[in-house]
Amino acid sequence: MVHELKHLIAVGRRLALGKSAEESCIEEASAMAAQQLAGLGTELRLVQPYASGCLATPQAFRVVYPEPSSRQEERICTYGYNFLLVWRVAQLMGHDNFWRSWLDGPSTGISNVEAHTGIPFAELMMDWAATLRLDHANAIAGYDYDTFNLRDGTWQALGTSPLESGVSGTARSMAYFTGRGLGGDARITLSVTNGALPHAVVLRLPAVLP
């Protein structure tokens, strides 16, 4: 009921103001955030199942699209995986500040997120990518979720691939690679084949993450 009531309030207010409804990938995620704010989310394990597929294979899924995806697995992840994105963004800005002004727009999707944060979406994605990897790992301060723990056994472990020479693959939004250092310098070269501008976060840690 909390989830659907959030939709009614949010969409109704936006339409009353002459604005378009929020894009599906953000609207469903923020309705899950409403459940979390009401104490009816991760505490009852009502979010975790919706994030499992994307957490296991993040490279296989998109995050942003205006309309519901034609792929069932991606539609499911809109609820849970994208919740992890919008919750992190709201946490950075302060939940009271972020959610109170969210309904009024001024736009939708990426533009709306940037308008309410003042931060380029690429930077928010890189922060989120690091948070998914570092949450409650006691490795680098500032990357823990505030009301839940991705390492508490209720969440699907984040899928990673070996970082090796010549490794390649497809990333629909982002992909994770992990390697073990040999005590010397290292160089990582990233290239793409579709002409898009790549973004990367490189974490050098003194020990293997739990």
Side-chain angles (χ1 to χ4, degrees), residues 35-151:
Q35 291 182 222
Q36 184 72 10
L37 291 168
L40 300 170
T42 60
E43 307 92 330
L44 302 179
R45 302 189 183 186
L46 297 178
V47 181
Q48 289 88 325
Y50 293 97
S52 293
C54 278
L55 287 173
T57 55
Q59 68 276 8
F61 294 91
R62 289 181 62 190
V63 173
V64 175
Y65 37 87
E67 301 297 332
S69 171
S70 60
R71 300 176 63 210
Q72 181 179 2
E73 299 91 340
E74 211 155 51
R75 287 198 305 273
I76 291 173
C77 283
T78 296
Y79 292 78
Y81 193 55
N82 283 27
F83 159 80
L84 293 172
L85 169 59
V86 298
W87 192 264
R88 174 61 179 174
V89 172
Q91 180 180 326
L92 289 174
M93 305 309 298
H95 289 289
D96 286 344
N97 296 330
F98 184 78
W99 297 114
R100 288 180 186 277
S101 61
W102 178 253
L103 293 183
D104 293 338
S107 53
T108 61
I110 291 176
S111 296
N112 205 29
V113 173
E114 292 180 331
H116 285 274
T117 61
I119 302 172
F121 192 71
E123 292 185 18
L124 293 172
M125 283 288 290
M126 289 189 287
D127 171 83
W128 180 46
T131 301
L132 291 181
R133 192 72 180 96
L134 296 171
D135 179 58
H136 287 86
N138 298 317
I140 300 178
Y143 289 96
D144 291 343
Y145 279 109
D146 53 2
T147 61
F148 51 89
N149 179 355
L150 296 183
R151 299 175 188 273

